[in-house]
Each structure stands twice: as structure tokens, then as C-alpha cells.
């Protein structure tokens, strides 16, 4: 182990594997970074050198103090290369060696900007700093305080070299603090202190710490209502999820005051907010600004439209009977008067008496079918009596069946067809459709477009437009992502999220329906108002009457004309 000999040289070492410790100083002829050597070359050469398939990449920035600006310009490029390597291999450990606190601070800043580290990649910082400076360094940089970092501090110089290992715990029973976890001496080797581990889990328990989150009202996911005494009461499915996660991880939620959605995610980007606890749709453009926790909402953009309501009702007079039955009735209406007329004529010729006109017979039979009284003039002889009796029974059965069915068709009218799929929607573009996520629309419909009888004025199409995935925004490479994800999965898999959503929708619907009912009762005292037949239901009867009136009118006009024409024409021809 010659690494302590490396005194004032600023070096970054990136290692792909845990188990290999690299002794690197100038004599060692490891690859010196000179701005052109690609990481893949480094990897390959190192593998060959070591004779193992496991790779180690070493990046070294070795410059004089006068050229400290060169370091700063090289650093971003170097970290970019290092990140590429971290993503290509299953990099477990990054080692940074430097005795310069300014360099370490720069590294902390640039590794954050260059997105070098994730929680799964461990960082070992080897340095030699006085304790106060070390504590300040640990606590003031996200890379050192929040990420999976330990710091090996060399104390004293050889031959009595000693080393201590420190880590920073942002959440512990004693609050945030830098703690010593192990000590190293030449004789005894590395000794862990009691109850400590080198890489301690930092986010399995927050010990009641206050955690900043951001969110704005977006029902039904997040809602804020002013309570008594200037308090704000929150509700909504995403909020309940947040509270459940907070419960599991033992932190208290502090909701940072925000005014816009840009601010909500902006604070997350700046790492001032732990996460935005209102789901955002996962978009590539957004991922350049922040990461997402586990996708807990597989949604869909759905469309909703005004319910087309009842079909025009004049057909409801026709619907009670099938077309064949109607045809049979018309045929009977033609044949029965003929048969009766035949019977009557035969009797008349045998017995004599006043002659009944054919029109009267037809009208009387029609009258019986529509429930009129029984005219005596039809049943003067036995055969005609039998015939009329049969007709009465026929009229009774047909009339009863039609009346019963007609009532049903008037009360429960046929609904007009409504677009359910995208193709149907496109075909029906003349009406307006609203596109948004399903739950949000369901809530709005339940709240504002409900009738007193519980039916809705809007409906949501069966087919969605496109699927969406939504999750909570968190800062890039947030180290607590695994802990949060685990809780989110538990919430989702237990079905809690769906249950909350259903309950919320049900409550909203009940409240809105109650309100509608009260309003309806205020307007009309009769409570069976919604059971009365409307004009739409009875359209058919009025249309039929109108048709009759127009026919009568037409006849009224045409008849004198024909009479006049006949007289005129006849007069001329005579
Ligand atoms: C970097 O190293 C490579 C390979 O050793 C060499 O060919 C190249 O000239 C070096 N570049 C600089 C700028 O030193
Ligand atoms: C380093 O850069 C800073 C500003 O970027 C400048 O003021 C300083 O003179 C530079 N130092 C050297 C040694 O070039
Ligand atoms: C939660 O945090 C409080 C405050 O530090 C602590 O007393 C309690 O034991 C913690 N609960 C659990 C389950 O760890
Ligand atoms: C509520 O807030 C308003 C303004 O912020 C303040 O004037 C008022 O005193 C507060 N009321 C209580 C009960 O705290
Ligand atoms: C949380 O927010 C408060 C107020 O904005 C701020 O003072 C505090 O430093 C924040 N805490 C963290 C851990 O960022």
C-alpha cells in the first residue's frame, strides 16, 4: 500500500469493482488522464494489466498549483467520461484521492452536476484534513452528506500513520451529524466502531425529521382546504400516499409554500424540496430537469362528452310492436271489414232492411280496435254477432299489449348511440369532447355534472386516447429513491391507492347528489318531479295529432277545389 505517498497530487480514481484497491502514484504508470485517452482504452488496458475480467478505470488530474484553473476545466469532461463508464459497467465503488479541500469541494459540485453517483455506487474519499474542515466539508455538500459516501482521513504521517473513517448521517436519532465509523492502524487493521457500519443506510428511518415537499392542489390527487385557525387541511390520493410513506419512513411532512407548478418542480430541481408529492406525467423533456420516483399511476388520457340523452321520441309509439305485427294488424284491418261486410250483405239480401255502407263498417271496426263502444248496428244477425265478438276479443288483446308496452317505452326511452371509441369520436366531431386524465374527469363530472337521480350529464368514453405514466418528481439521482420506491410499491400493491380514489369519488358524488336533490326539492315541492313524463317522452302523440290536423287541413282545402273543378269542368262538357 503505497497510496499515502501521494502527497499533494490531486487525483480522482474511478474503480469499477469493489475488491480491487489501486495503488497509484506517479511511479505506478497507471493511465494518466491527458484529455484524449478514452475510458474504454483505460478499461481494457487495466484488465490486461491485472489479469482479471473485472475492470478498473483510473482518471488522474495531476497538475501544478499554478494551473488550478486547468483542473476546473478538465473536471467536467473527466466526470462525463467517468459517468459513461459508471453507466456501462456495474460500477460499485468510486474512490477519490485528494488532499486539497478546494478540489474536493469542486468534485462534490461537479459530480452532482455531472450526475456521476447514484445510491448504488459507493464513494470513498481519501484525504488528509483537520477535523473542523472535514466536518464542514461533509455537511456542506450533497455528494458527501446525502450520497453513499465515506471519508478516509489520514492522520499523522508515516511511520505512525493512522486513519479514521467518517460518514455523514443526515437523519439519525441525534439529528444530522458527521460520525466516525471506523479506525485504521498499521498493526490492527481496520476496526469498526461499535454499532456502526462502513456504508450505513441513511434513509431507512428519518427519526421524525422534518422533510420538505412541494405540491399544489390538483384534485382528486391533492387538495387543500382552509381549516379553522389558519390551518390548511390536505386530502387527495397522492397526499395520502405521501403521508403513508412518511409514516413508514418516520418523517414529518413540511409542505413548502409555492404559487406555481414551475416552482413546485423548480424547488425539487434545486434539491430544496425532497420531492413533489403530486404526480407528474413522465416525459423525456422533464427528465432532463428531474428524476421520477417509482411510477405509481398508470393513467390514460380519456375523452368525455355531453351525454346525447334521449332519442327523439316520436318512434316510441312504434317501438312497442314489431314491424311484422304492425303489418299483420294493417292486413287484418283491411280483411276484417270486407269479411263482415260480406256477412252483412248476405243477411241483408235474405232478410231485407236498411243497407249499411261499407265505410260505416270499416269505421266501426276501427273504433272497436281503439277501444270505442260497441255499435249495435253491426250485430243484427247471428253470423255478424260472432264475427264482432271475435273482433272484440282481438281488439282487447292487441290493445292491452300495446298499451302496456307503450307505457314502458315512454318511461324507459331508448338512449341515442354515443361515441365510445376513437373512431366513433372522430366521426362525431361536431359535438365537443374534453380530453384529460380519467380520474380528474370522473371527479369533475361527479361534482358538477350530476343530476338529482344520480345519473351524469357527461360520460367518459370506453376507449382512451393514449396511455400515460405518472410519478412523483424527485431530484436527479436522489439517494432516497430506493426507500421511497419501496413504500410506493407497498401502497400501490396493497390496493390502497385505488381504494382511496374510489372512496373520494363516492363521497364527492354523494355530496353533489344531495345538493342537487335539495335544489330540486326547493324548486318544485312535488318529489316525484323526476318521474313525470316530459314533452320529449310524449312527442309522438303530439306529432300524430299535428299530422292529422294537417291532413284534415289539406282535405279541407282540396275538397272544395275538386268540387269546384268538377262543376266547372262538368258544366263545360255538358
Ligand atoms: C495523450 O496520450 C496519448 C496516448 O498516450 C498520446 O498519444 C497523446 O499525444 C496524449 N495527448 C496529450 C495532449 O498529451
Ligand atoms: C483562474 O480563473 C479565475 C476566474 O475564472 C481567474 O480570476 C484567475 O486569474 C485564473 N487563474 C489562473 C492561474 O489562470
Ligand atoms: C421515529 O422517530 C422518533 C423520533 O426520533 C423516534 O422516537 C421513534 O422511535 C421512531 N420510530 C421508529 C419506528 O423508528
Ligand atoms: C390568520 O392569518 C391572518 C393573516 O395571515 C392573521 O391576520 C390572523 O391573525 C390569523 N388567525 C389566527 C387565528 O391565527
Ligand atoms: C425546508 O424548508 C425550510 C423553509 O423553506 C428551510 O428553512 C429548510 O432549510 C428546508 N430544509 C431542507 C432540508 O432543505
Amino acid at each position: 500500500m503505497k497510496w499515502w505517498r501521494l502527497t499533494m497530487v490531486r487525483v480522482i480514481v474511478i474503480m469499477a469493482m469493489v475488491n480491487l484497491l489501486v495503488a497509484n502514484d506517479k511511479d505506478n504508470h497507471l493511465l494518466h488522464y491527458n484529455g484524449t485517452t478514452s475510458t474504454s482504452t483505460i478499461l481494457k488496458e487495466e484488465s490486461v494489466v491485472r489479469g482479471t475480467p473485472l475492470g478498473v478505470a483510473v482518471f488522474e488530474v495531476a497538475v501544478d498549483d499554478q494551473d488550478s484553473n486547468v483542473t476546473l476545466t478538465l473536471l467536467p469532461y473527466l466526470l462525463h467520461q467517468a459517468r459513461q463508464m459508471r453507466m456501462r459497467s456495474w460500477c460499485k465503488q468510486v474512490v477519490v484521492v485528494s488532499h486539497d479541500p478546494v478540489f474536493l469541494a469542486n468534485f462534490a459540485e461537479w459530480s452532482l452536476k455531472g450526475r456521476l453517483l447514484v445510491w448504488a455506487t459507493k464513494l470513498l474519499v481519501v484525504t488528509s484534513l483537520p477535523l473542523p474542515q472535514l466536518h464542514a466539508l461533509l455537511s456542506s455538500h450533497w455528494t458527501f452528506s446525502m450520497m453513499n459516501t465515506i471519508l478516509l482521513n489520514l492522520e499523522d504521517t508515516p511511520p505512525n500513520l493512522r486513519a479514521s473513517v467518517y460518514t455523514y448521517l443526515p437523519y439519525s436519532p441525534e439529528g444530522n451529524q458527521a460520525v466516525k465509523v471506523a479506525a485504521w492502524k498499521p498493526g490492527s487493521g481496520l476496526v469498526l466502531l461499535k454499532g456502526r457500519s462502513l456504508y450505513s443506510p441513511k434513509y431507512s428511518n428519518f427519526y421524525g425529521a422534518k422533510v420538505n415537499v412541494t405540491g399544489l392542489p390538483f384534485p382528486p390527487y391533492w387538495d387543500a382546504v382552509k381549516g379553522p385557525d389558519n390551518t390548511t387541511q390536505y386530502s387527495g390520493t397522492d397526499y395520502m400516499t405521501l403521508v403513508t410513506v412518511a409514516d413508514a419512513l418516520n418523517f414529518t411532512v413540511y409542505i413548502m409554500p409555492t404559487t406555481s407548478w414551475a416552482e413546485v418542480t423548480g424547488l425539487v430541481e434545486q434539491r430544496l424540496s425532497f420531492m413533489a408529492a403530486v404526480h407528474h406525467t413522465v416525459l423525456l423533456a422533464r427528465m432532463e430537469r428531474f428524476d421520477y420516483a417509482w411510477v405509481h399511476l398508470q393513467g390514460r388520457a380519456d375523452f368525455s362528452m355531453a351525454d346525447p340523452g334521449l332519442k327523439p321520441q316520436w318512434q316510441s309509439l312504434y317501438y312497442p310492436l314489431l314491424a311484422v305485427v304492425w303489418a299483420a294488424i294493417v292486413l287484418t284491418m283491411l280483411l276484417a271489414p270486407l269479411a263482415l261486410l260480406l256477412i252483412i250483405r248476405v243477411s241483408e239480401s235474405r232478410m231485407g232492411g236498411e243497407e249499411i255502407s261499407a265505410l260505416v263498417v270499416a269505421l266501426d271496426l276501427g273504433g272497436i280496435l281503439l277501444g270505442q263502444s260497441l255499435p249495435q248496428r253491426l250485430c243484427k244477425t247471428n253470423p255478424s254477432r260472432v264475427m264482432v265478438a271475435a273482433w272484440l276479443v282481438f281488439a282487447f288483446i292487441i290493445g292491452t299489449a300495446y298499451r302496456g308496452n307503450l307505457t314502458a317505452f315512454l318511461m324507459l326511452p331508448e338512449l341515442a348511440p354515443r361515441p365510445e371509441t376513437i373512431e366513433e369520436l372522430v366521426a362525431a366531431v361536431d359535438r365537443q369532447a374534453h380530453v384529460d386524465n380519467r380520474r380528474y374527469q370522473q371527479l369533475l363530472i361527479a361534482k358538477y355534472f350530476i343530476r338529482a337521480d344520480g345519473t351524469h350529464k357527461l360520460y367518459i368514453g370506453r376507449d382512451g386516447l393514449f396511455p400515460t405514466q405518472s410519478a412523483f418528481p424527485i431530484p436527479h439521482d436522489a439517494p432516497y429513491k430506493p426507500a421511497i420506491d419501496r413504500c410506493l410499491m407497498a401502497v400501490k400493491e396493497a390496493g390502497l391507492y385505488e381504494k382511496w380514489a374510489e372512496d373520494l369519488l363516492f363521497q364527492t358524488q354523494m355530496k353533489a347528489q344531495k345538493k342537487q336533490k335539495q335544489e330540486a326539492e326547493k324548486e318544485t315541492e312535488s318529489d316525484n318531479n323526476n318521474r313525470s313524463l316530459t314533452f320529449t317522452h310524449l312527442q309522438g302523440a303530439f306529432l300524430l295529432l299535428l299530422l292529422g290536423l294537417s291532413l284534415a287541413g289539406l282535405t279541407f282545402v282540396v275538397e272544395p277545389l275538386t268540387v269546384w273543378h268538377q262543376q266547372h269542368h262538368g258544366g263545360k262538357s255538358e
Side-chain angles (χ1 to χ4, degrees), residues 17 101 147 227 247 333 418 431 547 562:
M17 290 309 307
M147 303 305 283
D247 240 24
M333 278 301 293
R418 52 189 205 183
R431 271 191 293 148
L547 193 72
T562 0

Side-chain angles (χ1 to χ4, degrees), residues 292-334:
Y292 288 93
W294 185 67
V295 171
H296 69 281
L297 213 60
Q298 305 269 3
R300 222 173 44 170
D302 280 294
F303 66 89
S304 61
M305 286 178 93
D307 203 53
L310 309 179
K311 238 180 170 178
Q313 284 306 306
W314 58 269
Q315 292 109 318
S316 59
L317 299 184
Y318 162 79
Y319 285 136
L321 301 179
L322 276 184
V324 182
V325 182
W326 280 114
I329 290 175
V330 169
L331 201 66
T332 323
M333 278 301 293
L334 289 176

Side-chain angles (χ1 to χ4, degrees), residues 105-122:
N106 276 330
F107 169 81
E109 189 189 324
W110 278 102
S111 70
L112 209 57
K113 278 187 195 158
R115 303 193 56 185
L116 177 64
L117 299 169
V118 290
W119 179 254
T121 303
K122 293 164 180 168

Side-chain angles (χ1 to χ4, degrees), residues 94 114 117 121 128 181 238 264 315 325 330 366 369 377 494 498 508 534:
V94 173
L117 299 169
T121 303
S128 173
V181 293
D238 278 354
V264 166
Q315 292 109 318
V325 182
V330 169
L369 193 61
R377 56 181 171 250
E498 306 304 317
T508 311
T534 62

Side-chain angles (χ1 to χ4, degrees), residues 5-32:
R5 279 206 268 134
L6 173 163
T7 47
M8 290 314 287
V9 180
R10 282 164 276 189
V11 185
I12 301 179
V13 186
I14 309 283
M15 300 166 56
M17 290 309 307
V18 207
N19 302 334
L20 298 176
L21 237 172
V22 176
N24 67 315
D25 53 63
K26 286 221 167 124
D27 319 326
N28 210 334
H29 297 301
L30 280 181
L31 296 153
H32 287 216

Side-chain angles (χ1 to χ4, degrees), residues 299-374:
R300 222 173 44 170
D302 280 294
F303 66 89
S304 61
M305 286 178 93
D307 203 53
L310 309 179
K311 238 180 170 178
Q313 284 306 306
W314 58 269
Q315 292 109 318
S316 59
L317 299 184
Y318 162 79
Y319 285 136
L321 301 179
L322 276 184
V324 182
V325 182
W326 280 114
I329 290 175
V330 169
L331 201 66
T332 323
M333 278 301 293
L334 289 176
L335 293 182
L338 281 181
L340 188 59
L341 197 64
L342 200 68
I343 294 170
I344 290 175
R345 283 286 183 271
V346 170
S347 323
E348 275 170 358
S349 67
R350 223 188 298 141
M351 309 193 331
E354 203 183 330
E355 198 172 273
I356 303 176
S357 81
L359 194 63
V360 167
V361 172
L363 273 180
D364 280 350
L365 283 189
I368 290 172
L369 193 61
L370 292 180
Q372 299 305 305
S373 61
L374 173 67

